[in-house]
Amino acid sequence: MSDTILRVQDIHKSFDGAGVLRGVSLEIREGEVVVIVGPSGCGKSTLLRCINGLETIDSGEIYLRDEKISGRTKDLHLVRQKIGMVFQSYDLFPHMKVMDNLLLGPTKALGRPKQDVEKDALEMLERVGLKEKAYALPRTLSGGQKQRVALVRAMLMRPEILLLDEITAALDPEMVSEVLNVVIDLARGGITMAIVTHEMRFAEAVADRVLFLEDGVILEEGKPEEFFHTPQTERARRFLQSFTYVSKRDQSEIQPKNNFGG
């Protein structure tokens, strides 16, 4: 399909002989938000790292639009410019001000003029409520603020798809919603994303489609209203029961506050 941005075909990945991904296939279309859930150790983060080229795959193929990106080495940095990724840790350079952290990638890797990037960065920081922190050092920011800066940094690279790997895992509970609200606004703005998370209420609120991984395979796939309220497999039902799960209709803390889309 012409609007398919990412295509993963039957990929396998092992560590020390143990299969972590065992024949995973998926497609993500332009503007779609796919949320990947499952128990710890099921291969969720490994899948994102393989897509981004941080891990090599043993077999299978990965395509960005119609371009095969798996197995490439020489120009892998060019692929990563198109596939943004935000991790659990913020990875901001501690000795550089927020703005300098934001300018580094677009000016060095993309060759964009510093003045243009700084203008875009200030606009994005304002949208996430951090314009006043533009010239502060990272040590003066809370964990939630640092993660919002990391999201802005990824978006300034203008990726075709954004991968988010448990971006709230290292945050205190009271900081989680401020980061998740930003991601919801990115989704509403049409940003294509693949998200690994353990935040089930957030997953239901943001996803167009949910993939449930178990032991390195996609065990179940469906729309969020179907997966979270009428899961088709007993394993998915048991997984959801392990959370104190509340429907998005009852939640109050995860609500869009900003607007990346306009």
Side-chain angles (χ1 to χ4, degrees), residues 11-31:
I11 66 168
H12 292 250
K13 174 66 179 178
S14 298
F15 292 106
D16 299 323
V20 177
L21 299 175
R22 302 185 297 117
V24 172
S25 297
L26 64 94
E27 290 190 1
I28 300 178
R29 301 175 68 176
E30 188 168 359

Side-chain angles (χ1 to χ4, degrees), residues 209-229:
R209 189 157 44 99
V210 179
L211 305 181
F212 176 64
L213 259 67
E214 167 73 2
D215 195 24
V217 300
I218 297 174
L219 197 62
E220 188 167 338
E221 175 180 351
K223 295 180 179 180
E225 58 267 26
E226 297 169 348
F227 176 78
F228 288 108
H229 301 288

